[in-house]
Amino acid sequence: MNGKYETHEHDVLVIGAGGAGLRAAIEALAQGASVGVVSKSLLGKAHTVMAEGGIAAAMANVDAADDWRTHFRDTMRGGKLLNHWRMAQIHAHEAGDRVRELEQWGALFDRTEDGRILQRAFGGHSFKRLCHVGDRTGLEMIRTLQDRGVQMGIDVYMECTVTRLLTDGDRVAGAFAYWRENGRFVVFKAKSIVLATGGIGKAYPVTSNSWEYTGDGMALAYATGAELMDMEFVQFHPTGMVWPPGVQGLLVTEAVRGEGGLLRNKLGERFMQRYDPQRMELSTRDVVARAIYTEVREGRGSEHGGAFLDISHKPAEYVKRKLPSMYHQFLELADVDITRSAMEVGPTCHYMMGGLRVDPETAACTVPGLFAAGEVAAGLHGANRLGGNSLSDLLVFGRRAGFAAAEYAKKQSWPALDPAEIAQGEGEMLCVFERQAGDTPYAVHADLQQLMQNLVGIFRTEEDLKSALTGIERLKDRMGRVGVPGTRMFNPGWHLYADMKSMLAIAEAVTRSALARKESRGAHSRLDYPKTDATWGEQNNIIRRHGSEMVLEQSPVPKMPAELQTLLAEEKGAGA
Amino acid sequence: MPEVTLKIFRGDREGGQTADYQVPVSPGMVVLDALHYVQKHLAPDLAVRWNCKAGRCGSCSAEVNGRPRLTCKTRMDSLPGDRPVTILPMKSFPVIKDLVTDVSWNYKVNKKIPGFKPRPKTEWKMRQEDVDRVQEFRKCIECFLCQNVCHVLRDHGKHEQFGGPRFFVRVAALEMHPLDGISRAALLKNELGLGFCNITKCCTEVCPEEIHITDNAIIPMKERVVDEFYDPVLKLVRRIRGEKSARE
Amino acid sequence: MASTSPTVHAAVPTGSWWTQIAPVVLGLGAFSVYATWRAFEGAYFWASPYLSPFYSPLLDVHHHYWPYSPALLILGGPLGFRATCYYYRKAYYRAFFLDPPACAVAERKRNYCGETRFPFILQNVHRYFMYLAIVFLVFLWHDALHAFVFADRFGVGLGTLVLLVNVMLLTLYFSSCHSLRHLLGGKLDCFSCTNFGNARHSTWRGLSFLNEHHMLFAWTSLFSVGLADFYVRLVSSGAIRDLRLL
């Protein structure tokens, strides 16, 4: 390089320091690679800390009948069979080992009477399967991984945003980024890259996701030529807070229902009777979210447009011990004591089932040297994710991605960086300071969020989706004109400008996929195609870049071996 | 809607002062909402560090009306509405810009602490009663408000000699881990300067997770340091038994 | 290492921090003055069957070896226990040393060593004063029981109740001690892997519960011990007559 930029070299560069990123980094380090982790926020603040309910792993500590087969079946059925069977199989196989590993690194889960890891019930899981720590499982996980990484001597570049992946021919060569603190640019040179950037929640106004969830990894990889898959499947968690306005969307853990919480409408009816009489409150998230949405639309909602979730029939001490964060969250932010009265809840954008298309064994994307794990990757969860499968996903595929990325790096020579790419990266970040500040990134962001909520939300129609596409084009135009006042020193307006680029690309991918899938399945509900369609059940939607065009095509869902098909057909389990 | 004046620190390493912003107050609004309003409508480059806005990540620490708080958990209606609300960055750390401070010192301290090291031949069974204590410490969200309020750092600037409440909690979690096999008493006494703490409890007062930092973490750690270094009788007993450290 | 905006922080009104420490200054101050006067007085400590807690155990009452007040022989024990107590340390570091006066309130910059140097490093001997406190409690319980015996007969006077309540509060103060909690259970990492682990865990939990109220017991027992002495002095000096209840 010409020395103009601060440059760092690593065998493996991990982008994202949540559960998947840290687990990947730990594994790559263990394989002897030099590893750098880039994170948009401080270490230990990643969205994984928000995970509450637990880690799904068929360890059979509480229900002896549980095993990987049942977990596999639950995951596939929950995902409406659109999952990649091999990912679901690997995940069900390995989750237990990954949890035990966390314990060996110092994590302290809640315990059974005989001293093993306690497991709780959760929606869509046939058995008590979620290893947990009260309702702060994610925090325990991230702190354990963080400390493990620190002990192993991980290099973390905190508060650093990657805006572009660099390439050498068709393989990845590194990343172009800026320090949030001072706006200075930094170049990472790497033999392989693991993307672990999470989801896209910030494209929606009512979301349980933090500001970091802007779809960066998907957009970066897409721009480099990687394929996105099943982008129409955006999970709306059924229970987010709805009041007061400032906390709208904030997650109310599924553990409330797991611990016995009941859903009622304003008439006092347990309305889940109408939607899933067998599993009631512990039905899958797509079903519960639609149920609440429907109750509200038909005039049976609560005062602020939600449903009531009630755990007050349980002893107050029990509620405080098992759901301490929920107790405090409602008491402090909504003046509601959940040991005495019901919570008001409604659907909130929570998780992205779609994402980068990856190889099940190695988590490799379709671009050489690029790997992806966690929410940024697609395939494991199909059309709908079960609660608790996300944290285990991070661990299982984070480890595999880290391992494969280190192996890949061992076989590669150092790539060459292309100064033209770097100059482009710099140009697209700096141009915004030269424009007259009229329209701001904040305004464009707010409009994108409204558009996604109104037109690409829980229920979709062709008409809405088409007008969403037109709207997104208009927003892209506006982004080409926004200005940012101030300097490059920790400037949130500028940071949002960088994030908007990702969000717009991803919003388009979600909308195009949703438009293409003419059926309702899992989290994707089309009012104009309300039925599940068997032919669509065999198709994954694939998106890739062709020049500056986004192209979409279908690819058949991989066929699973006969013995797994038999397994899936068995009656036992939580049902589809 | 009623309006309130925010006095927000605007500045950087070179210095700065507060600037006034008028913000409409809506029901249930928290200070971080008000800061976001300012970013959106009045000062797009106002630097604020935040992530989850749910009191889980511990990013949005600042000083509201002189009290160290998480801005996402400080309700506007809990503050006097007739006076301006002053919002300053944490005092114990260098300002980067506006409300964002350089907290990297904390990460350096953390590196000094040897991680969890299981005892040999561990069976990985633990009873709930043995992990209860440690789970309290594991609630820490690393907001560093305890570090900020601690006068040893805040007023006396002992960053070089002192680890601060956050890391006493972290060491306590490791020391009391039922399966951990090493002692960190010497580290507490020497590198982390536990003796500088005069247990005046401000850390406990500001902890948003309500961890009893002083009573459950710091004082028990002080007692363990006494076991190891200041109790002649225990030392003698150990010598007779042929043990080196109090934690064998 | 410090922020670049010290003046900005100093300009924030910190509220009336002195109202937080005023009660401590008054309470501890008044007690110290009274206790010092009474300790040196060397009289009016016995009003049969009551013995003032300031003078218990009563040593060399006839001045064979010690010409001064017998209280001076023993008061070092309770004084040391309270002076090195984790609660009182907080109270007087804040109220008398202004170190800090209150949370997030600036203090004078000077060479601060906390408890790393003499004299405050001696706070680490707290557990030895705790052991000593056991001896005192034995005597005080003896005194309280003895206060039920009026000329070889069972009886209850107001003084009996005063002494009884006092020794109960002192016992609670003792039982909620941080050092005791550590030594009886807190020092273990794994209760279930230790001999008598269950018993020690229950003990530790009980002591932890009391420990949460250590401040309350510190103050109530301080007042009660002062009042008990004051009552004995009133009766002993003839200022009032003991109210006989039974």
Side-chain angles (χ1 to χ4, degrees), chain A residues 208-369:
Chain A
S208 62
N209 293 173
S210 77
W211 67 263
E212 292 192 275
Y213 265 38
T214 53
D216 293 1
M218 295 174 203
L220 292 170
Y222 165 78
T224 318
E227 289 173 350
L228 298 169
M229 186 171 91
D230 293 342
M231 294 295 285
E232 63 274 39
F233 295 105
V234 179
Q235 180 169 74
F236 287 81
H237 194 290
T239 58
M241 289 176 81
V242 296
W243 185 260
V247 297
Q248 204 183 10
L250 204 65
L251 189 65
V252 178
T253 173
E254 188 166 330
V256 177
R257 284 173 286 141
E259 298 292 347
L262 304 176
L263 280 169
R264 291 203 178 84
N265 59 21
K266 77 168 175 196
L267 310 173
E269 299 168 324
R270 280 182 69 188
F271 56 84
M272 284 310 296
Q273 193 79 43
R274 276 197 285 279
Y275 304 89
D276 188 349
Q278 285 210 316
R279 294 182 293 179
M280 295 294 283
E281 280 83 1
L282 287 182
S283 181
T284 49
R285 288 177 175 174
D286 52 336
V287 177
V288 183
R290 273 194 299 270
I292 295 177
Y293 190 87
T294 308
E295 289 297 306
V296 174
R297 204 177 42 181
E298 293 175 1
R300 296 186 295 274
S302 65
E303 185 189 349
H304 303 107
F308 294 106
L309 174 61
D310 195 358
I311 186 88
S312 63
H313 52 279
K314 294 272 179 184
E317 275 316 303
Y318 181 81
V319 173
K320 285 186 205 169
R321 187 161 52 82
K322 293 308 263 187
L323 304 162
S325 316
M326 285 304 109
Y327 173 73
H328 287 285
Q329 182 172 313
F330 273 89
L331 200 61
E332 286 160 25
L333 299 175
D335 301 321
V336 171
D337 178 353
I338 66 168
T339 66
R340 291 160 179 273
S341 45
M343 300 159 245
E344 248 186 295
V345 295
T348 177
C349 178
H350 185 57
Y351 189 83
M352 181 62 180
M353 272 74 70
L356 289 162
R357 188 185 203 181
V358 291
D359 172 65
E361 310 288 338
T362 62
C365 298
T366 47
V367 168

Side-chain angles (χ1 to χ4, degrees), chain C residues 45 54 57 68 97 115 143 189 197 223 228 243-244:
Chain C
F45 48 78
F54 283 9
Y68 311 107
F97 295 83
E115 300 183 338
D143 297 341
D189 292 342
F223 283 120
L243 185 65
R244 185 72 183 267

Side-chain angles (χ1 to χ4, degrees), chain A residues 41-47 49-52 100 103-116 118 132-136 139-141 143-144 146-147 150-151 154 158-159 181-182 202 208-212 243-247 250-251 324-326 328-335 440 442-443 446 449 485-487 489-494, chain B residues 12-13 26-30 33 36 39-41 43-59 72-75 77 96-98 100-104 107 110-118 123-132 134-144 166 170 173-174 176-179 208-210:
Chain A
S41 49
L42 296 172
L43 182 60
K45 308 297 182 193
H47 198 64
V49 298
M50 297 287 287
E52 294 164 346
R100 278 184 279 269
E103 182 162 273
Q104 286 159 16
W105 296 344
L108 283 170
F109 293 98
D110 286 355
R111 317 305 301 181
T112 62
E113 282 294 317
D114 63 348
R116 292 185 295 168
L118 182 61
H132 62 277
V133 188
D135 54 5
R136 51 161 197 85
L139 175 65
E140 186 70 16
M141 184 163 137
R143 208 59 89 223
T144 306
Q146 174 185 347
D147 291 337
V150 168
Q151 298 306 320
I154 202 173
M158 297 198 287
E159 300 199 309
E181 176 179 331
N182 52 30
K202 272 296 155 187
S208 62
N209 293 173
S210 77
W211 67 263
E212 292 192 275
W243 185 260
V247 297
L250 204 65
L251 189 65
S325 316
M326 285 304 109
H328 287 285
Q329 182 172 313
F330 273 89
L331 200 61
E332 286 160 25
L333 299 175
D335 301 321
T440 70
Y442 295 103
Q449 289 185 319
T487 67
M489 283 287 288
F490 211 111
N491 185 338
W494 190 46
Chain B
D12 52 29
R13 288 179 201 275
S26 56
M29 193 178 198
V30 294
D33 289 321
H36 283 163
Q39 281 186 331
K40 244 178 207 170
H41 302 283
D45 62 339
L46 171 69
V48 179
R49 189 184 272 135
W50 69 289
N51 266 43
C52 73
K53 204 179 162 298
R56 298 298 181 83
C57 74
S59 300
C72 74
K73 281 177 85 180
T74 307
R75 294 263 295 259
D77 55 16
I96 291 174
K97 188 182 160 211
D98 305 340
V100 176
T101 54
D102 178 359
V103 294
S104 57
Y107 291 88
N110 189 36
K111 283 190 183 162
K112 294 183 192 168
I113 302 172
F116 171 64
K117 190 157 188 292
E123 277 182 49
W124 302 107
K125 288 217 172 183
M126 287 176 264
R127 313 281 298 205
Q128 186 62 43
E129 70 249 33
D130 287 322
V131 303
D132 274 338
V134 185
Q135 284 182 336
E136 181 191 4
F137 306 141
R138 303 279 294 184
K139 287 195 301 185
C140 171
I141 55 175
E142 296 202 325
C143 62
F144 305 130
R166 158 57 190 140
R170 164 139 169 75
L174 288 162
M176 295 184 196
H177 191 300
L179 302 180
E209 287 295 307
E210 295 176 9

Side-chain angles (χ1 to χ4, degrees), chain C residues 2-66:
Chain C
S3 137
T4 52
S5 56
T7 48
V8 182
H9 282 90
V12 182
T14 44
S16 40
W17 52 265
W18 46 269
T19 55
Q20 287 179 38
I21 59 171
V24 179
V25 173
L26 287 175
L28 286 183
F31 181 83
S32 306
V33 171
Y34 174 77
T36 310
W37 167 58
R38 279 290 288 149
F40 280 93
E41 191 177 34
Y44 305 127
F45 48 78
W46 172 251
S48 181
Y50 311 137
L51 174 63
S52 157
F54 283 9
Y55 286 80
S56 177
L58 194 53
L59 300 179
D60 193 33
V61 68
H62 301 297
H63 305 292
H64 295 304
Y65 310 100
W66 178 252

